[in-house]
Amino acid sequence: MDMAWKITQLLLLASVTAVWGAPPRTRQGRTDLLNICMDAKYHKTKPSPEDKLHGQCSPWKKNACCSVNTSQEAHKDVSYLYRFNWDHCGPMKPACKRHFIQDTCLYECSPNLGPWIQEVNQSWRRERILDVPLCKEDCESWWEDCRTSYTCKNNWHKGWNWTSGSNECPVKAACHRFDFYFPTPAALCNEIWSHSYKVSNYSRGSGRCIQMWFDPAQGNPNEEVARFYAETMNGAGLHES
């Protein structure tokens, strides 16, 4: 009887999860999804003002999860942050590289990624982002500006040769144009960082997708986006993108 009751409860839980999706994640026993920083390699414990953030990271200076030093390193070709070499297949075009700098700034500095933070068991971080709904125009311009640069892989999170101290192409991985490994904007944005992003059908300014680029004089539009998804997740357990 007791076993039958347990099986019934498990079946009920499975059916609810299938219909409504997984419950909101908890973070250190909390369900806070707004104005938080990831538990990762260089993130601050809590977001706070950083008046001197460097270059493309400066839009987050009023409220940032990154330090000044991190923002400076984000602009270097091979920085101490991750020893990642953008030029692994020859010089990356400047128009392309600026998107990767902006991507790094968003990842390191944004306090508005809470609804998409997931726990991971990795040596260098305890949390990551997953399926952040990136505005379609930001994804399209990233792909358009990078399509004629060169790379040798379609997943940059893993599979590199690190014996030199920075990433090099693995054996038998040939260098081709970006549009060989990433034939569409969605392929680039969704796959390059193991689905950290998921290109959205929504446009910039919609309040429903994360903007990689924004004018800080107009405020940070990603605050509204995070609030919308946090309320959706906490209210109904649904995730819309």
Side-chain angles (χ1 to χ4, degrees):
M1 181 73 175
D2 184 55
M3 181 60 70
W5 182 85
K6 288 182 178 179
I7 292 173
T8 301
Q9 294 303 306
L10 287 172
L11 289 173
L12 284 171
L13 177 61
S15 64
V16 169
T17 300
V19 173
W20 292 105
R25 72 177 181 91
T26 58
R27 184 175 182 269
Q28 298 175 349
R30 301 174 298 171
T31 56
D32 55 328
L33 301 177
L34 299 176
N35 198 39
I36 61 172
C37 301
M38 270 180 281
D39 187 354
K41 193 170 185 178
Y42 296 107
H43 289 71
K44 300 189 308 190
T45 304
K46 295 180 180 180
S48 60
E50 292 284 352
D51 292 339
K52 297 182 180 179
L53 287 187
H54 181 66
Q56 291 178 221
C57 294
S58 62
W60 287 274
K61 66 182 181 180
K62 289 185 178 179
N63 195 35
C65 288
C66 61
S67 67
V68 174
N69 285 344
T70 297
S71 72
Q72 293 170 339
E73 290 294 321
H75 291 72
K76 295 180 180 179
D77 288 342
V78 183
S79 76
Y80 78 73
L81 295 180
Y82 305 103
R83 301 298 304 168
F84 197 92
N85 179 18
W86 307 119
D87 300 330
H88 51 268
C89 277
M92 179 182 283
K93 294 183 178 181
C96 176
K97 190 172 294 184
R98 72 188 187 99
H99 290 276
F100 284 98
I101 294 172
Q102 198 71 12
D103 161 50
T104 303
C105 289
L106 175 67
Y107 172 80
E108 299 288 347
C109 302
S110 177
N112 308 123
L113 301 175
W116 305 280
I117 293 176
Q118 300 287 326
E119 293 182 1
V120 289
N121 182 19
Q122 295 177 328
S123 61
W124 55 284
R125 62 180 180 180
R126 296 178 62 186
E127 292 180 327
R128 63 161 295 185
I129 49 174
L130 183 68
D131 291 337
V132 172
L134 187 65
C135 293
K136 63 180 182 180
E137 296 92 344
D138 284 4
C139 180
E140 289 166 356
S141 62
W142 190 356
W143 182 79
E144 190 62 43
D145 288 343
C146 288
R147 61 185 302 182
T148 57
S149 287
Y150 284 77
T151 186
C152 57
K153 289 169 60 18
N154 64 356
N155 186 329
W156 287 14
H157 258 157
K158 57 186 179 180
W160 296 100
N161 176 358
W162 291 94
T163 54
S164 68
S166 61
N167 59 301
E168 295 180 349
C169 294
V171 176
K172 297 183 180 179
C175 290
H176 293 288
R177 281 176 30 147
F178 264 59
D179 51 13
F180 174 86
Y181 285 103
F182 306 108
T184 64
L188 171 64
C189 299
N190 296 355
E191 296 172 16
I192 195 165
W193 298 127
S194 302
H195 300 279
S196 292
Y197 299 118
K198 181 180 180 181
V199 62
S200 176
N201 290 323
Y202 287 107
S203 296
R204 293 167 55 84
S206 65
R208 299 294 182 267
C209 61
I210 292 292
Q211 293 184 203
M212 191 176 290
W213 306 84
F214 62 90
D215 179 1
Q218 306 299 318
N220 184 341
N222 295 330
E223 293 176 359
E224 176 189 350
V225 179
R227 188 160 48 247
F228 170 79
Y229 284 100
E231 290 173 355
T232 301
M233 293 172 73
N234 284 332
L238 298 175
H239 185 110
E240 182 180 336
S241 63

